[in-house]
Amino acid sequence: MIDIYLCEDQAEQLRCLEKWITRYIEKNGTEARVVSARTHPEETLEDLSPGSTQLFFIDIQLGKAEMDGFALAEKVKRQNRDACIVYLTSKSEWAYRTFEYSFDVLDYIVKEPSEFLHEEPGDRLKERLGRIFSRISQKEQEENGILIECGSRKVRVKKEDIISIEAIKGRHQLEIITEKEMLTSQMSLKAIEEMLDDSFSYVSRSCLISRKKIREMDRKNRFIVMTNGKKIEISYRKLKEVWSLL
């Protein structure tokens, strides 16, 4: 569950933002909820509670408040370094400043006053919200790993632990080798590939490997050796591509 905190000093803009985000969550079936919508940063800090993934939409310019959005984000990060920050600003030139701070910023939204006159957000904002929630989902996967179906079990595996994923010849099964164990699954190779990132590559039609786990490659004999000592054959079609990865 994602707990969402909004801090925007313009009450009407705050109302619109809360409404748009709530509708987006309901329409897309996102496991999230708005738990705080405040015009003052001090109230946002008072609302903080531990537990779920935290997503903050923070206006940079907070009117007459003692702290601006940057200061609020810094205080939030002190309490939860994993909190996700999205800055709001009506000045496009301020947007680039959001990435100058030492802590990670998930994204920013440049506010167009005319957009806040409508009941529904425009296409630009819808696309931005989609990107923000997609990034959080990816971030959660990176932190929590991916779920592999192994018969009657589901096993959570960290992506950085995966060495290779290979289809077993003559059987509708995959062999997933990690730093800690070997798993078998009836999931498709494509389904697992979609949960991974671009640090994984095919060395043949039936085998995905982690590029970070390659120890050596023999181009002449068409094989690679992984960090666990496993030797994997490279198809002729993939030979040049795999060589260029090293």
Side-chain angles (χ1 to χ4, degrees), residues 38-245:
R38 300 290 194 174
T39 55
H40 297 287
E42 292 83 2
E43 294 174 345
T44 299
L45 292 174
E46 290 174 359
D47 288 343
L48 293 185
S49 60
S52 304
T53 299
Q54 294 179 335
L55 169 60
F56 291 79
F57 289 82
I58 298 175
D59 188 18
I60 293 177
Q61 294 174 291
L62 291 172
K64 298 179 180 179
E66 292 183 1
M67 68 181 87
D68 62 11
F70 295 128
L72 172 58
E74 188 172 359
K75 288 181 179 292
V76 166
K77 281 288 192 177
R78 285 178 185 172
Q79 294 193 40
N80 178 10
R81 62 183 181 84
D82 295 322
C84 300
I85 306 294
V86 176
Y87 281 120
L88 310 171
T89 178
S90 57
K91 298 181 179 180
S92 58
E93 63 270 20
W94 280 68
Y96 302 104
R97 285 193 58 194
T98 62
F99 297 97
E100 293 178 0
Y101 288 77
S102 57
F103 50 79
D104 291 333
V105 175
L106 188 70
D107 212 332
Y108 65 87
I109 294 175
V110 177
K111 299 183 294 181
E112 296 292 342
S114 60
E115 290 180 314
F116 286 82
L117 299 176
H118 303 286
E119 285 298 305
E120 292 288 337
D123 291 340
R124 183 185 71 89
L125 274 177
K126 287 180 181 178
E127 182 180 345
R128 204 72 169 188
L129 287 174
R131 187 171 80 174
I132 287 166
F133 283 102
S134 176
R135 285 180 173 178
I136 289 183
S137 177
Q138 182 179 357
K139 188 172 185 289
E140 287 184 320
Q141 281 190 5
E142 289 172 355
E143 292 173 350
N144 301 325
I146 61 174
L147 282 175
I148 304 293
E149 295 178 14
C150 303
S152 61
R153 300 182 301 143
K154 284 188 177 182
V155 181
R156 191 173 296 281
V157 178
K158 290 187 176 181
K159 287 186 281 188
E160 61 265 28
D161 288 343
I162 298 174
I163 296 172
S164 63
I165 306 167
E166 188 171 7
I168 303 172
K169 291 182 180 180
R171 297 162 62 184
H172 296 293
Q173 283 187 323
L174 298 179
E175 181 181 83
I176 300 126
I177 296 178
T178 77
E179 295 281 2
K180 301 175 182 177
E181 59 190 330
M182 190 273 283
L183 303 169
T184 57
S185 172
Q186 291 186 321
M187 294 176 68
S188 70
L189 196 56
K190 181 67 175 176
I192 294 183
E193 178 197 3
E194 290 176 352
M195 294 189 286
L196 302 175
D197 53 39
D198 58 7
S199 66
F200 289 82
S201 298
Y202 281 96
V203 293
S204 67
R205 293 180 63 182
S206 61
C207 185
L208 262 174
I209 57 94
S210 169
R211 298 202 303 270
K212 298 175 182 178
K213 304 294 185 180
I214 299 174
R215 191 172 73 192
E216 63 176 278
M217 175 176 175
D218 186 325
R219 188 174 186 179
K220 180 180 178 181
N221 295 299
R222 289 193 302 110
F223 68 80
I224 53 174
V225 179
M226 308 304 288
T227 52
N228 65 339
K230 181 178 175 65
K231 184 185 291 187
I232 300 175
E233 183 180 358
I234 308 168
S235 68
Y236 283 108
R237 186 171 61 90
K238 287 289 185 178
L239 191 60
K240 184 176 180 180
E241 179 184 331
V242 176
W243 181 260
S244 68
L245 297 175

